[in-house]
Amino acid sequence: MTNSFTFHITLYDVAFFGMLLIGLSFALQLWFKKDSNRAANRFLALALSVMVLWMLGILGSDSNLWNLPLQFSMAFGPLIYFYVRKAIWPERQFRWKDLLHFCPVLAQ
């Protein structure tokens, strides 16, 4: 008696996996880049990581690896906002009051 397991991977899944690897490697490069805009690069790396996790959730639900949807789309907006703000005003400090931009993420 032989047990044969068939692993169904489509071209769509391979393309998604490639995007995940490219996005993750680019986010890691941004995170560890030593530059004058280090904080801005880290916000962009976080935003990119959120999108990679979102695509990982789509890939997982598409291939039935798990049934938990990962919806991080509400976190993407504030992270891009903080990236642009740090790129324009690098001297402006991050305050606790700025965390209010992430309130929609809690509702989600």
Side-chain angles (χ1 to χ4, degrees), residues 2-74:
T2 62
N3 289 337
S4 63
F5 296 101
T6 307
F7 199 58
H8 298 283
I9 299 176
T10 64
L11 189 59
Y12 178 76
D13 295 334
V14 171
F16 246 70
F17 189 67
M19 285 190 307
L20 290 175
L21 289 178
I22 290 170
L24 212 69
S25 66
F26 187 59
L28 285 172
Q29 288 175 4
L30 275 173
W31 187 267
F32 291 112
K33 182 180 180 194
K34 295 182 194 270
D35 196 4
S36 62
N37 267 345
R38 191 173 203 178
N41 287 340
R42 287 194 170 175
F43 277 119
L44 186 60
L46 282 173
L48 189 58
S49 299
V50 164
M51 290 306 292
V52 165
L53 287 174
W54 187 21
M55 289 191 311
L56 180 67
I58 292 172
L59 180 66
S61 66
D62 182 45
S63 61
N64 290 328
L65 292 176
W66 58 79
N67 292 327
L68 297 173
L70 294 174
Q71 295 286 331
F72 290 110
S73 59
M74 296 290 245

